[in-house]
């Protein structure tokens, strides 16, 4: 949209002016412009909400610019590389110099990069969830007695759920790295990530395991 393009131009202007900077410096400059500009909200509460939105949009814009190789990022340092030749007309805030097809292509490329950033954000959230579940599992096991080696389950693992009365044929390799399974009834497979997520949703990763449960009793 035009508003997104205008905001991206503001970010580019700050980066091009500083050449070498950081996310905080760019975001602070844009927030300062907003505070002293005509669009500043009348109340401090509304201003804080707008400033938070500016910082979020700055972060998203920088990720897109890095993905497009317009900005180079190393640790927390940002270095302005420059716009492609076909984008030079946008530096002055005007798109008339671009043909309709060229502008559409550039906008499509930006949208694709934005979608890629969102996919990676989602992936990072999923991986963070897996890490937290395993971390909770480790803390839970720190307070239970030693479990015999033949009753331990190592990560990763796969659980197979079958209905009662099903006949199951399971063959496993000697190193326990491969297995073949067949069942007379439909079955469901879950890996350790699915199992830990289910335990977390039910609050089971926060509850200590009793000694009877560790010895092989049925968990409630």
């Amino acid at each position: 949209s035009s508003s997104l393009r205008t905001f991206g131009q503001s970010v580019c202007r700050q980066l091009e002016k500083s050449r070498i900077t950081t996310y905080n410096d760019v975001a602070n400059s844009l927030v300062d412009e907003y505070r002293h500009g005509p669009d500043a909200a009348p109340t401090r509460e509304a201003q804080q909400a707008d400033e938070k939105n500016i910082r979020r949009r700055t972060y998203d814009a920088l990720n897109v610019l890095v993905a497009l190789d317009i900005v180079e990022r190393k640790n927390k340092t940002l270095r302005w590389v420059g716009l492609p030749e076909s984008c030079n007309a946008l530096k002055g805030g005007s798109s008339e110099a671009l043909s309709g097809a060229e502008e559409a292509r550039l906008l499509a490329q930006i949208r694709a990069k934005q979608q890629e950033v969102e996919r990676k954000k989602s992936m990072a959230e999923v991986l963070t969830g897996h890490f937290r579940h395993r971390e909770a599992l480790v803390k839970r096991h720190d307070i239970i007695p030693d479990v015999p080696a033949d009753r331990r389950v190592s990560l990763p693992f796969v659980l197979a759920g079958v209905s009662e009365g099903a006949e199951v044929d399971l063959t496993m390799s000697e190193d326990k790295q491969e297995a073949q399974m067949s069942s007379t009834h439909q079955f469901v497979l879950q890996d350790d990530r699915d199992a830990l997520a289910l335990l977390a949703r039910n609050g089971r990763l926060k509850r200590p395991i009793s000694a009877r449960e560790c010895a092989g009793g049925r968990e409630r």
Side-chain angles (χ1 to χ4, degrees):
S1 66
S2 59
S3 60
L4 177 61
R5 184 162 62 241
T6 300
F7 189 81
Q9 290 168 3
S10 299
V11 174
C12 287
R13 185 178 67 252
Q14 291 292 336
L15 289 164
E16 188 175 18
K17 178 181 177 181
S18 301
R19 310 301 295 185
I20 297 178
T21 184
T22 64
Y23 157 75
N24 284 333
D25 288 341
V26 174
N28 289 339
S29 296
L30 293 175
V31 167
D32 190 62
E33 285 185 4
Y34 163 77
R35 287 175 181 171
H36 297 89
D39 298 327
T43 65
R44 183 55 187 159
E45 182 178 0
Q47 286 184 8
Q48 289 177 340
D50 287 342
E51 291 171 8
K52 183 178 180 180
N53 185 48
I54 289 173
R55 294 183 184 279
R56 179 184 59 80
R57 294 182 68 186
T58 300
Y59 180 80
D60 291 339
L62 287 173
N63 282 332
V64 173
L65 293 173
V66 170
L68 292 172
D69 295 326
I70 294 173
V71 174
E72 182 182 80
R73 176 166 51 200
K74 186 175 183 181
N75 297 326
K76 295 183 178 181
T77 301
L78 301 170
R79 185 178 69 84
W80 174 257
V81 176
L83 292 166
E85 288 297 326
S86 58
C87 295
N88 284 336
L90 292 177
K91 290 167 37 176
S94 172
S95 61
E96 284 76 12
L98 291 176
S99 67
E102 179 68 5
E103 182 177 3
R105 184 188 67 80
L106 292 173
L107 290 177
Q109 187 177 10
I110 290 174
R111 283 194 293 268
K113 291 298 182 180
Q114 288 175 325
Q115 291 173 357
E116 182 180 352
V117 169
E118 291 302 319
R119 284 195 300 270
K120 290 184 177 181
K121 280 185 179 180
S122 298
M123 186 181 299
E125 290 176 359
V126 171
L127 293 176
T128 299
H130 295 336
F131 173 78
R132 288 175 178 170
H133 295 159
R134 292 194 178 197
E135 189 177 42
L137 183 66
V138 171
K139 291 180 180 179
R140 168 178 159 167
H141 284 190
D142 283 342
I143 58 176
I144 65 175
D146 292 336
V147 178
D150 61 348
R151 300 198 59 82
R152 295 176 185 174
V153 178
S154 301
L155 294 174
F157 61 80
V158 176
L159 296 176
V162 297
S163 59
E164 187 176 357
E167 295 182 6
V168 177
D169 181 23
L170 178 65
T171 304
M172 184 173 294
S173 61
E174 292 184 2
D175 59 5
K176 297 185 178 181
Q177 297 300 306
E178 296 182 0
Q180 291 185 344
M181 174 180 169
S182 61
S183 172
T184 55
H185 293 65
Q186 186 176 8
F187 59 90
V188 177
L189 296 179
Q190 287 185 321
D191 62 14
D192 54 289
R193 295 173 298 182
D194 297 327
L196 292 181
L198 180 60
L199 289 173
R201 285 196 298 270
N202 294 332
R204 303 296 295 277
L205 289 182
K206 298 180 180 179
R207 181 181 67 79
I209 301 177
S210 67
R212 187 175 73 85
E213 289 174 339
C214 292
R218 182 184 301 274
E219 291 195 13
R220 294 180 297 276

